[in-house]
């Protein structure tokens, strides 16, 4: 039979894993450092790296909008043409520690909303539905942005309408940061109906105390043992 001491320890460890989480937000300037020499950013919980055609490249130095130097728009992540599969798309890679997960980001002057399946901003690598909610003027306009999640591929698609290409700051929030904890995500903007699909990121937020799966399982075990002892 499990002793009271061991039972208490299990519950304590589980509760520690489920402790209050801290949200960290980095602006574009925090990430690129305001210089043209940043090829990756990391703080131990999140690592952000830009790529073009799978080759690591350099962030821009704009402290307001994050992008890639030398692209069709230095101040955004772009696809310079209407072919989403020719390899020249600019991508942003997110690598999260086991206890960190994405909670949101915001943008302005973005557009990627063609009618095809390959049109939009795509974020791949989720292990479950991240619980995405759009915010800002673009979420309530006459031509609203839309979002959907494909569980089969672990990919989130955001259609950002060009009708909102006016400088308003829109955003996306994720209620389930555990869906990206310990994962590598890849973000890309593509559009088969217009050249220059783009996403200029203003800030990125993440939670850095997401409980690890082992801690959650331990918490559940502790609760189960308590229930059994009470019934005994």
């Amino acid at each position: 039979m499990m002793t009271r001491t061991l039972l208490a320890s299990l519950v304590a460890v589980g509760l520690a894993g489920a402790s209050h989480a801290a949200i960290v937000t980095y602006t574009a300037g925090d990430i690129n450092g305001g210089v043209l020499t940043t090829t990756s950013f990391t703080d131990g919980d999140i690592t952000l790296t830009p790529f073009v055609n799978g080759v690591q490249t350099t962030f821009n130095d704009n402290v307001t909008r994050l992008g890639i130097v030398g692209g069709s728009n230095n101040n955004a992540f772009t696809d310079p043409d209407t072919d989403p599969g020719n390899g020249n798309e600019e991508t942003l890679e997110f690598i999260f520690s086991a206890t960190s997960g994405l909670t949101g980001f915001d943008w302005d002057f973005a557009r990627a909303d063609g009618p095809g399946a390959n049109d939009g901003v795509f974020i791949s690598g989720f292990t479950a539905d991240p619980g995405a909610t759009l915010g800002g003027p673009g979420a309530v306009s006459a031509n609203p942005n839309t979002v959907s999640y494909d569980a089969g591929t672990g990919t989130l698609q955001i259609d950002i309408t060009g009708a909102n290409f006016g400088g308003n700051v829109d955003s996306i929030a994720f209620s389930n940061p555990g869906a990206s904890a310990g994962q590598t995500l890849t973000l890309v903007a593509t559009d088969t109906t217009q050249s220059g699909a783009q996403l200029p990121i203003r800030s990125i937020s993440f939670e850095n105390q997401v409980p690890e799966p082992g801690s959650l399982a331990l918490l559940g075990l502790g609760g189960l043992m308590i229930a059994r002892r009470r019934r005994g």
Side-chain angles (χ1 to χ4, degrees):
M1 179 181 295
M2 183 175 292
T3 66
R4 288 181 180 272
T5 301
L6 179 55
L7 181 60
S9 297
L10 282 173
V11 175
V13 171
L15 290 174
S19 62
H20 177 69
I23 303 298
V24 178
T25 299
Y26 288 122
T27 66
D30 294 327
I31 295 166
N32 62 30
V35 298
L36 290 173
T37 57
T38 304
T39 56
S40 189
F41 168 86
T42 187
D43 67 355
D45 289 313
I46 184 175
T47 300
L48 301 166
T49 308
F51 291 86
V52 177
N53 196 16
V55 178
Q56 187 171 343
T57 185
T58 305
F59 283 120
N60 65 351
D61 61 349
N62 186 324
V63 297
T64 302
R65 301 176 185 89
L66 194 65
I68 291 177
V69 169
S72 58
N73 183 343
N74 289 345
N75 297 320
F77 291 88
T78 68
D79 182 2
D81 53 37
T82 58
D83 185 347
N86 62 1
N88 63 355
E89 300 82 24
E90 301 174 355
T91 61
L92 176 62
E93 179 186 80
F94 303 70
I95 300 177
F96 291 99
S97 69
T99 55
S100 299
L102 187 64
T103 57
F105 58 88
D106 59 20
W107 65 84
D108 60 3
F109 291 105
R111 56 188 180 195
D113 71 335
N118 294 318
D119 299 324
V121 174
F122 296 87
I123 310 172
S124 59
F126 292 104
T127 59
D129 188 341
T133 302
L134 293 169
V140 296
S141 68
N143 298 284
N145 303 326
T146 61
V147 64
S148 60
Y149 176 69
D150 184 338
T153 62
T155 300
L156 191 79
Q157 178 178 354
I158 315 167
D159 286 329
I160 300 178
T161 173
N164 299 314
F165 192 74
N168 293 319
V169 178
D170 289 331
S171 63
I172 187 166
F174 301 109
S175 62
N176 180 20
S180 52
Q183 299 302 305
T184 297
L185 306 183
T186 301
L187 178 150
V188 62
T190 66
D191 200 314
T192 59
T193 63
Q194 62 178 339
S195 299
Q198 63 183 51
L199 182 73
I201 295 175
R202 296 175 61 95
S203 68
I204 294 172
S205 299
F206 67 96
E207 186 174 301
N208 69 358
Q209 292 181 26
V210 179
E212 294 185 67
S215 296
L216 292 175
L218 203 55
L219 179 59
L221 176 61
L224 179 61
M225 294 307 298
I226 289 175
R228 287 183 175 177
R229 285 182 64 85
R230 287 176 176 173
R231 287 198 300 267

